[in-house]
């Protein structure tokens, strides 16, 4: 299994104080004798910009909260290299190591971690629909030893953006992996809302980059615009998929800011760095005693940003199949971020 290694070596042995807790949590002889140390398993399904942004922001936030890797925190980071079959092995390893918490990034990872929630609390991140995925009973009261943060795609706002920036569009092609529960949920909601706005929706699916590229090539020739949710399979190969759409002159709307940075045209959504930081804050709260069963899932619905790829926009203005226009006054709004790459998302420019 690729990338199956610890990010950090095990903590150096520290002088134990009387009354330290069972398992891997211990008190260390630091400036504060009340400071505990923790071991956390952090797992993600695959490398792509959205998930990596969450992971990196989460690690930064841990340190800002006073939990520093190698001192009072050990992180066992595992990457399933895109193979869902690897996730159960990762989670069973965490259980055998008696980690204090499992952080699971993306829906398939969270579903695998849920099977081991009896051994450690699970905090998920970037799960679009945790209720439909069977992870929690409700958003407000999860009900089990699992909670987290959701990157639910606000599909109604994205459809409205399509109508604002490409008002002549009549047909939307949606591209996704039907094997990802988060994508199925998002596409269902997208179709329902788009149809109320008079748009026709054409679907195409794939299970890997090769089949997605084939589907994208067919789709781009017969629709006015395209849309993909925050689908892990799509995101992993999005640079190639977005090029297919751009070469066909099709505005490609997406579900995540990172996908805009990778060549998508536009989205309305959250900042994935903030999602990662909130996941870290929730993790520490739970380690310090909060009950996952009554800790509401954090869902971002308000105060979202609009992300528009400036380079893609300029190309579409010249050779777009459907007229694309971003009004000058829209670009002046603080919540509208003109993107030229990943760095411009992080800086908000």
């Amino acid at each position: 299994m690729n990338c199956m290694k610890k990010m950090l070596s095990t903590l150096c042995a520290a002088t134990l104080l009387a009354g330290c807790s069972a398992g891997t949590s211990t008190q260390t002889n630091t400036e504060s004798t009340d400071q505990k140390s923790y071991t956390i398993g952090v797992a993600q399904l695959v490398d792509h910009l959205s998930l990596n942004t969450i992971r990196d922001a989460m690690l930064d936030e841990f340190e800002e909260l006073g939990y520093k890797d190698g001192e009072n925190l050990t992180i066992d980071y595992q990457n399933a290299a895109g193979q869902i079959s690897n996730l159960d092995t990762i989670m069973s390893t965490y259980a055998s190591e008696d980690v204090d918490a499992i952080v699971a990034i993306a829906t398939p990872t969270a579903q695998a971690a849920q099977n081991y929630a009896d051994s450690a609390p699970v905090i998920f991140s970037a799960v679009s629909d945790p209720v439909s995925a069977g992870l929690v009973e409700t958003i407000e009261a999860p009900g089990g030893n699992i909670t987290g943060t959701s990157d639910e795609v606000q599909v109604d706002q994205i459809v409205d953006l399509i109508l604002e920036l490409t008002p002549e569009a009549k047909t939307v092609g949606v591209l996704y992996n039907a094997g990802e529960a988060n994508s199925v949920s998002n596409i269902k909601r997208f179709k329902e809302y788009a149809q109320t706005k008079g748009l026709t929706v054409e679907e195409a699916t794939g299970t890997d980059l090769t089949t997605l590229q084939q589907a994208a090539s067919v789709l781009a020739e017969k629709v006015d615009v395209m849309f993909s949710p925050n689908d892990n399979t799509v995101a992993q190969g999005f640079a190639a998929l977005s090029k297919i759409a751009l070469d066909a002159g099709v505005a490609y709307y997406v579900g995540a800011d990172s996908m805009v940075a990778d060549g998508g045209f536009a989205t309305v959504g959250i900042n994935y760095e903030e999602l990662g930081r909130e996941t870290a804050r929730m993790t520490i709260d739970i380690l310090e005693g909060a009950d996952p069963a009554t800790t509401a899932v954090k869902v971002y619905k308000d105060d979202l940003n609009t992300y528009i790829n400036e380079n893609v926009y300029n190309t579409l203005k010249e050779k777009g199949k459907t007229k694309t226009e971003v009004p000058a006054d829209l670009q002046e709004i603080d919540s509208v971020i003109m993107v030229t790459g990943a760095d411009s998302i992080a800086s908000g420019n």
Side-chain angles (χ1 to χ4, degrees), residues 8-16 21 24-41 58-76 99-101 283-284 287-288:
L8 301 170
S9 62
T10 305
L11 284 173
C12 295
T15 302
L16 297 179
S21 61
T24 57
S25 295
T26 62
Q27 287 181 310
T28 58
N29 189 15
T30 59
E31 293 181 2
S32 170
T33 57
D34 293 330
Q35 181 68 63
K36 289 186 175 181
S37 67
Y38 297 105
T39 298
I40 302 174
M58 183 174 62
L59 299 180
D60 288 343
E61 186 67 14
F62 281 144
E63 188 163 338
E64 290 191 18
L65 292 169
Y67 290 89
K68 189 173 182 179
D69 298 337
E71 293 184 5
N72 56 356
L73 183 66
T74 297
I75 296 177
D76 185 349
V99 297
D100 297 295
T283 300
I284 296 302
L287 287 170
E288 293 181 345

